[in-house]
Amino acid sequence: AAVTWFAAGIRGPLNLPREISAGVTLAALAIPLNIGYAQIAGLPPIAGLYAAIVPMLVFALSCSSRQLVASPDAPIAALIASLLTAIVAQPGSLRYVELAYAQALVCAAVFLLFFTFRLGFLADFLSEPVLVGFIAGLAVEILTSQAEKILGIRADAERFFPELWQIITGLPQAHLWSVVVGVATMVVIVALRGLAPALPGPLIALVAAT
């Protein structure tokens, strides 16, 4: 929100009310979302907050688009976890976090090279079935990992089907209040989308969480 207010001061005071509203909405969405992305990547929650704030600050100072949002996303978080888990056995350890920061810097250098030499056209060579399969598989993996949190159980299997089997067999040990809060949140979000479709998504999430 502070980044948006800063950008509003640059553009002029007439846009300040709208920019403040946009900043609050974006903060309500980005803060819990990026904490979740950090957990998917195996990083501490504070890493998700840094990843949400720093890119938007650079974006506000160097870009002019009013639609683009610079922020982490689920595919990147999952790729970080899959790569670093193969190198470091303990997600969340100091070595793991250091490698994640190093990976971010290397990716930034690669993207800078792509920008300098106008290599964005290489993305056109990625076939649509591959992208759809990747996104669908990633969605299933994230759904499985978040189901553990909603149920309040822990599965330590490394592969998908053994992990899914551990979740199913662990249903009798599910934490009652975790299930109640998780299911109630989803019910409220779905209900408000039908009853008040004009209500901003982040506000729906806040109402559901409270």
Side-chain angles (χ1 to χ4, degrees):
V3 173
T4 308
W5 297 339
F6 175 76
I10 296 177
R11 297 190 186 113
L14 294 179
N15 290 328
L16 187 59
R18 289 185 297 176
E19 296 290 350
I20 290 176
S21 175
V24 171
T25 302
L26 186 59
L29 175 64
I31 291 175
L33 198 61
N34 284 278
I35 290 176
Y37 288 155
Q39 292 178 340
I40 294 174
L43 297 170
I46 190 66
L49 295 179
Y50 286 143
I53 295 173
V54 176
M56 282 196 291
L57 180 60
V58 175
F59 163 77
L61 295 174
S62 59
C63 300
S64 58
S65 174
R66 297 187 179 185
Q67 287 75 38
L68 179 64
V69 176
S71 178
D73 57 10
I76 299 300
L79 289 174
I80 291 174
S82 62
L83 175 63
L84 296 185
T85 303
I87 302 174
V88 183
Q90 296 294 331
S93 64
L94 179 60
R95 179 63 174 167
Y96 188 97
V97 175
E98 290 176 349
L99 288 176
Y101 289 157
Q103 184 184 17
L105 293 176
V106 170
C107 290
V110 171
F111 278 120
L112 183 60
L113 290 175
F114 269 64
F115 170 77
T116 302
F117 295 102
R118 301 294 190 268
L119 299 178
F121 69 91
L122 294 176
D124 296 334
F125 292 98
L126 297 174
S127 64
E128 184 176 353
V130 172
L131 294 176
V132 171
F134 170 74
I135 295 175
L138 182 62
V140 172
E141 175 64 25
I142 294 175
L143 177 63
T144 304
S145 64
Q146 297 305 307
E148 298 178 23
K149 296 181 175 62
I150 293 178
L151 297 173
I153 60 179
R154 181 175 180 83
D156 54 5
E158 296 182 357
R159 297 185 178 275
F160 172 73
F161 288 106
E163 181 183 10
L164 181 61
W165 178 250
Q166 287 185 358
I167 293 175
I168 295 175
T169 56
L171 288 177
Q173 288 78 38
H175 190 270
L176 176 60
W177 287 111
S178 297
V179 175
V180 170
V181 172
V183 173
T185 300
M186 290 186 287
V187 169
V188 171
I189 291 176
V190 173
L192 288 180
R193 281 182 177 177
L195 298 176
L199 199 63
L203 183 55
I204 293 177
L206 286 177
V207 171
T210 54

